Amino acid sequence: SAVISQKPSRDICQRGTSLTIQCQVDSQVTMMFWYRQQPGQSLTLIATANQGSEATYESGFVIDKFPISRPNLTFSTLTVSNMSPEDSSIYLCSVEWDSSYNEQFFGPGTRLTVL
Amino acid sequence: GDSVTQMEGPVTLSEEAFLTINCTYTATGYPSLFWYVQYPGEGLQLLLKATKADDKGSNKGFEATYRKETTSFHLEKGSVQVSDSAVYFCALGFGNEKLTFGTGTRLTIIP
């Protein structure tokens, strides 16, 4: 299995600002994913980030709002831009460990509150 | 599109009770199926998985069997403990694609 860390673990931000979340993996992985978990809700995929190519965004999510970087096989960042209270969520990164079955391991999450 | 339907919660049980959390899915093809668990204040952890029909995934006393004929993957445990209190998510996935999650079921075990 992979060990995944995220920074920050939580933050409280003001409306209109931006926050960059980091995701670090202890081994090289091809596919990384960013999910959002709104309060009391299930997980929704924001985008898929492969090293060396642009991130692929799901319907309802756009690059201007959630820019993603994937500079190497062990690291990725997600930026939440021009935040509003509706962006208050837990943001999780995950990595695909077994591509045959899409087994994914998740980071501990970043709990974001926007005032 | 693909979807996962989970038994609505919250579910409250007494310690040592039998647990079933229902999960059914809709998908084109034959996905892998997963149960993830989220303990209070923690991230999502893979609990068990099954990759083909009739496979049984098991871990920590939990079991789930991939039933193609009923498109189900119900989670069971014979005797729950207080430490099992968490939110449980059923999910499906195809290789190199996103996971599709159910809405989650909050389980509370009372001593």
Side-chain angles (χ1 to χ4, degrees):
Chain A
S1 64
V3 177
I4 306 167
S5 60
Q6 284 186 234
K7 291 181 182 179
S9 58
R10 59 177 62 227
D11 207 342
I12 301 173
C13 301
Q14 296 297 319
R15 181 196 299 261
T17 62
S18 298
L19 176 72
T20 295
I21 302 168
Q22 299 179 6
C23 179
Q24 180 76 51
V25 190
D26 69 342
S27 52
Q28 294 184 340
V29 292
T30 301
M31 299 188 73
M32 296 180 75
F33 304 86
W34 287 97
Y35 289 82
R36 181 174 73 181
Q37 185 180 17
Q38 294 179 299
Q41 304 294 315
S42 187
L43 283 78
T44 302
L45 182 67
I46 298 171
T48 302
N50 291 339
Q51 195 269 335
S53 62
E54 294 211 359
T56 302
Y57 289 82
E58 295 295 300
S59 176
F61 298 96
V62 295
I63 187 171
D64 289 346
K65 175 68 175 178
F66 297 101
I68 288 171
S69 76
R70 182 77 201 277
N72 57 51
L73 291 172
T74 62
F75 187 78
S76 179
T77 66
L78 169 76
T79 299
V80 186
S81 303
N82 188 24
M83 289 184 285
S84 66
E86 292 71 35
D87 294 320
S88 297
S89 293
I90 299 173
Y91 292 85
L92 300 105
C93 70
S94 74
V95 302
E96 185 178 68
W97 190 247
D98 185 334
S99 61
S100 301
Y101 309 117
N102 200 1
E103 179 175 339
Q104 294 184 21
F105 290 99
F106 284 79
T110 295
R111 184 179 295 272
L112 171 62
T113 302
V114 183
L115 303 177
Chain B
D2 301 336
S3 66
V4 176
T5 302
Q6 263 184 258
M7 170 179 170
E8 287 195 18
V11 174
T12 302
L13 295 173
S14 297
E15 206 165 21
E16 299 183 2
F18 184 87
L19 169 71
T20 300
I21 301 178
N22 289 339
C23 172
T24 58
Y25 67 90
T26 302
T28 304
Y30 303 105
S32 297
L33 301 174
F34 307 90
W35 277 100
Y36 282 85
V37 58
Q38 188 172 38
Y39 297 104
E42 298 185 16
L44 220 60
Q45 300 176 26
L46 178 65
L47 179 61
L48 54 84
K49 70 176 182 184
T51 58
K52 61 183 187 296
D54 299 325
D55 264 4
K56 177 185 284 188
S58 62
N59 186 25
K60 299 182 180 181
F62 291 90
E63 293 183 340
T65 301
Y66 191 142
R67 300 289 189 199
K68 188 176 69 173
E69 63 275 14
T70 55
T71 61
S72 65
F73 193 55
H74 305 321
L75 183 68
E76 297 182 335
K77 186 174 184 181
S79 177
V80 292
Q81 306 300 313
V82 172
S83 57
D84 294 326
S85 297
V87 181
Y88 292 81
F89 292 93
C90 185
L92 68 83
F94 294 91
N96 294 318
E97 296 182 9
K98 67 177 182 180
L99 287 176
T100 299
F101 286 86
T103 54
T105 301
R106 181 175 299 277
L107 173 66
T108 301
I109 307 301
I110 54 178

